[in-house]
Each structure stands twice: as C-alpha cells, then as structure tokens.
Amino acid sequence: MSRIVLAVFLFHALLVSAQDGPCGWNGTYDPAGGTCDCDDGWIGANCTTLDVRPASPGTGFAPVQTDAWGAAVLKDEATGLYHMWVSVIDAHCDIEYWARNSKVVHATSSTPEGPYTAVGDAFPVMAHAVDVKRGPGGNWVAFLTAGVTAGGALGPSSYGAPCNCDPGTQQPIGGCFSENSEEATVVCTASSPYGPWSNPVVLLDPTALLDGIDANFSAAVAEDGSLVGLWRTYPSGSQMHWVTATNYLDPATYSWQEQETPLFSPPHDGLTSEGVEDPFVWYDAGRGAWHVLLHDMTALGGADFYDGLAHAWTTDGVNWTWTGEAATSSASFTDGSSSYSARARPHLILEGGRITHLISAEQFDANDWSYALIEPVGEPLPDPTDPDCPDPVVMALACGPGTVWSPTDCRCVVAYPADADFDSCITVADILLLLGQFGQCQ
C-alpha cells in the first residue's frame, strides 16, 4: 500500500510541475492549449513579468536630507498597520558610505504605499540590507548585515565609528574611509514589530570566505523553523548561492552551497559584468514553490551597464530556474511622470499570499537623495465590504466545478492546481491526463 501511495505522490508532484513549471510557478499551465493562466500580479506568456502599476507621488519613504536604501514591509494583521524596516545612511552621509554609516529605521503607515513615518531606530549603525519575515508562532524575524561587538551585541562597522558628513555635500567632514562591507550576516527575532529585538545570531562571516563580501542574505522561514534562502559572494561579479536550514536560529543546521560554485549558469553566474545581487526570497504556499527577485546588473551585448529585476524559482530550495526579466528600470507615476529605478534591494508586500506592491531602492529625488519607492502590482485588492464584490455565501454556490470562491480575490479560483480535469479531486484521471501530454514541449 505504501508503494501505491508513494507512486501517486510522485505522479502528483510531476503533474503539478508539468502544469506550473512552464508558467514560472506563477500560473497554471494548460497543456491542451499550451498557454498559461497567470496568478494575480504576474503577466506575460509565461507569467514571469510583474504587473507593475503607476505609483502615487510622495508615497514610500523619503527621509529628510539623507539616503534610504531598500525596505522590507510586513502588515500586522492584528492591527492592520504596515511596518517598514529601511536602511538609512546616518549623519547625512552619501550612500557610498553605507558600509560605515547605515542603520535600520522602523517606520509605519496605515496603507501599503505610505507615506511611511519613522518610529525610531530598529537596528543601530552599522546595520544594512534588512529582510524581515514572519517566523514560527508569528515571530518577527530580521536577517541583516551588521557589525557585531566582541561581546556579541550589534555594534559599529569594522571600519570604525560612523562618519560625520556635511548635509550640503553628503561628504565626510575631515575625511572618513569606507569601502565594501565584510560585516556578518545575522538574524534577530522579536515578538512585536516594535521590538525589543534579540541579540544577533551570526549565520555567516564573509571574512572566512575566499571572495567574501556582504552576503545580501534573504530567506523564507517555515512554521517548523526550516529555511530556504539565497546569499552571495563576489569573485568578479556578484554571484548567487543557495542555503537551507532545519532551524533558522541554529547555524549548525545550515547547509551552504559551495562558495565557488555559482547558482545560475552564464551569463548570470557572477563572472560576467556586475552579476546579480540583492535577492528577495518568498514562499508561495498555494503552489508549493519558492521564488526570488534579484537586482540584475548583467550588461550584455557590449552595453556599458544594465539595471533590471530578474525572477527565478525552485521547488526544493537547491535547484533554481532562471526565468528572466521581471521588471525594467522604468518607474511610472499616476501624475504621468516617470523616473529611473535601478531596482536595487527589491522587496515585495504580500497579503494573503498575493503580491500587492513592489519596493525598490536606488532612485533619487530632485535633491539627489535616494528614497524607497513603492509601486502597486496587479489589480488592487478587492474590499470585501464593497457592494460590487458579490456576497461570498452566494458566490460559493455559483463557482464552477473544481473552483472555490476566494473572498480575498473576490472571484472564483481553482481549488487544487493539480486538478487537471476540474472535478474537485486529485485522482488517477489527472495522472492519465498528464501522461497523455507526456513528451510534449512548449
């Protein structure tokens, strides 16, 4: 009996992969028509392009007379408030001094786009590249690059005390040396978005690596404490690697990809041009796959430079599939204007597993200060109290075979992605349908 169950499980996994794989695990594949039905937030023939919409001017986070660089946002379901953790360059210094002057500010907003208002410092100088996720039991989990003192607390950069800069020029007063960071990757936890945050647990020390640099660590943490993520080294460009763990708080349970082996094949292997950096990893429970957005800097065809957003996915945390460009460097606004965004430090706002907004760094205001840009993705979330959204009790009876009513999306959705014949069950018939399409290629 166990062999039968195993065989069905394997066929089921194959069926789901066959349906979702050609669509970047962002949609359902129709083998008969060879087309993809994209999930909300994704567009394109293979559902690998983000459906980025115009942003409202003045939203996001723009500190006064200083640079902001990358932001993580989570909604506190208990209060409905949106919490942001954003890297801010202290003492009015230019972003080029981030490795010595970066800190992480906590800000809040009643809406996902903002504007966000600073509450206070969450992590002191030097702290950067923060990635905040929810962990087991609803814990708040922060991964970041940070200075760590001999006593095991968060502290200044190994370069020394922060620079003191002239707000007019953003340059240090009296000089202050700073280059790339080799600070540790750490994890801190809290039971509240307001903290207090635990002392850091060091996960990775770049100084012990052959081509170590700030690791740009990002990961998704499961309810059982396991983890899937990505990190980087810098041989001749930024090079991605996989990481997994059975306990996100115990460094001894971490498995790291061999540091000289690139995750992606050429030209995105970190050996061409500037490579790829700044991963944002998340898990799609509905489709059983992990995804990543990356700042892609791989200049091809003789170009001097390139900035864009790339996407990849995995179903096991180790073997990642590159799908290509997810967004360009062009950002548009509701007033008809547009600006350049390098798409550095990308993050997403997700609600109920659905992508609602894209957050990007490395775009500048009229005074040349960098700010955190937040753009809507896909159709706005429907308001369940909106009279235009049908009554869920009525619609639950009106949905067709194999579909159920989703109050979040305000429409009928497929109940089980692997249900190829839409009979609301996963049976041998679904496996036979798959086998009938076996060997076909898109």
Side-chain angles (χ1 to χ4, degrees):
M1 182 67 180
S2 61
R3 292 182 179 179
I4 296 175
V5 172
L6 177 61
V8 171
F9 173 81
L10 292 174
F11 273 121
H12 173 234
L14 183 60
L15 174 62
V16 173
S17 178
Q19 285 194 309
D20 294 351
C23 306
W25 290 82
N26 296 317
T28 301
Y29 182 60
D30 176 10
T35 57
C36 292
D37 180 17
C38 299
D39 297 337
D40 290 317
W42 296 96
I43 56 176
N46 300 107
C47 305
T48 54
T49 300
L50 277 176
D51 185 13
V52 183
R53 306 295 179 90
S56 300
T59 52
F61 182 77
V64 178
Q65 286 193 314
T66 192
D67 285 323
W69 199 263
V73 171
L74 292 175
K75 182 180 181 181
D76 185 352
E77 296 295 342
T79 64
L81 200 63
Y82 293 85
H83 293 266
M84 171 186 283
W85 295 266
V86 54
S87 297
V88 172
I89 312 307
D90 200 26
H92 308 293
C93 291
D94 187 83
I95 185 63
E96 67 178 297
Y97 299 100
W98 71 268
R100 193 157 179 165
N101 274 55
S102 181
K103 64 181 180 180
V104 174
V105 169
H106 177 209
T108 60
S109 172
S110 60
T111 64
E113 283 190 67
Y116 284 77
T117 302
V119 174
D121 292 353
F123 302 103
V125 176
M126 181 273 168
H128 194 71
V130 65
D131 181 29
V132 182
K133 303 288 176 59
R134 298 306 292 270
N139 227 18
W140 303 78
V141 180
F143 300 101
L144 61 156
T145 295
V148 180
T149 68
L154 293 174
S157 162
S158 55
Y159 288 119
C163 307
N164 183 27
C165 295
D166 181 336
T169 65
Q170 297 182 258
Q171 295 302 307
I173 299 172
C176 193
F177 180 76
S178 178
E179 285 188 332
N180 293 325
S181 173
E182 291 185 349
E183 307 302 335
T185 292
V186 305
V187 59
C188 301
T189 60
S191 59
S192 164
Y194 295 94
W197 293 89
S198 68
N199 279 334
V201 176
V202 175
L203 302 177
L204 181 66
D205 178 8
T207 63
L209 303 176
L210 295 174
D211 300 303
I213 194 172
D214 58 294
N216 284 183
F217 188 98
S218 177
V221 181
E223 186 61 33
D224 66 359
S226 61
L227 168 152
V228 167
L230 295 181
W231 59 289
R232 64 131 178 212
T233 55
Y234 206 98
S236 57
S238 188
Q239 183 179 89
M240 284 292 120
H241 309 282
W242 57 261
V243 59
T244 61
T246 56
N247 180 353
Y248 75 103
L249 289 175
D250 183 0
T253 71
Y254 277 65
S255 296
W256 304 86
Q257 185 181 11
E258 198 279 321
Q259 60 177 302
E260 295 298 296
T261 303
L263 180 66
F264 300 114
S265 59
H268 306 291
D269 55 357
L271 302 176
T272 303
S273 182
E274 296 292 329
V276 291
E277 64 171 7
D278 296 344
F280 173 78
V281 177
W282 77 100
Y283 181 65
D284 183 349
R287 296 200 175 276
W290 290 267
H291 297 263
V292 65
L293 291 179
L294 298 142
H295 178 207
D296 184 11
M297 305 177 292
T298 311
L300 302 175
D304 291 332
F305 73 94
Y306 170 77
D307 282 314
L309 202 62
H311 168 262
W313 59 265
T314 181
T315 57
D316 61 12
V318 173
N319 299 287
W320 288 79
T321 299
W322 180 277
T323 66
E325 186 178 78
T328 69
S329 56
S330 178
S332 60
F333 296 88
T334 54
D335 64 0
S337 63
S338 62
S339 71
Y340 185 91
S341 171
R343 301 301 182 189
R345 298 298 311 161
H347 284 77
L348 294 173
I349 301 178
L350 298 106
E351 294 194 39
R354 175 177 166 181
I355 299 170
T356 64
H357 294 80
L358 169 66
I359 309 171
S360 303
E362 200 171 352
Q363 52 277 318
F364 298 87
D365 63 19
N367 296 313
D368 202 33
W369 297 101
S370 175
Y371 65 96
L373 171 67
I374 302 181
E375 301 163 280
V377 175
E379 293 291 336
L381 285 174
D383 181 357
T385 63
D386 189 330
D388 292 333
C389 186
D391 182 270
V393 176
V394 174
M395 292 310 299
L397 301 175
C399 289
T403 65
V404 295
W405 180 253
S406 169
T408 302
D409 295 328
C410 200
R411 65 183 179 90
C412 296
V413 298
V414 177
Y416 306 107
D419 182 15
D421 57 7
F422 297 100
D423 65 351
S424 300
C425 298
I426 307 300
T427 66
V428 173
D430 298 300
I431 298 173
L432 294 176
L433 182 60
L434 167 65
L435 293 177
Q437 303 292 331
F438 185 80
Q440 296 188 17
C441 300
Q442 188 179 24

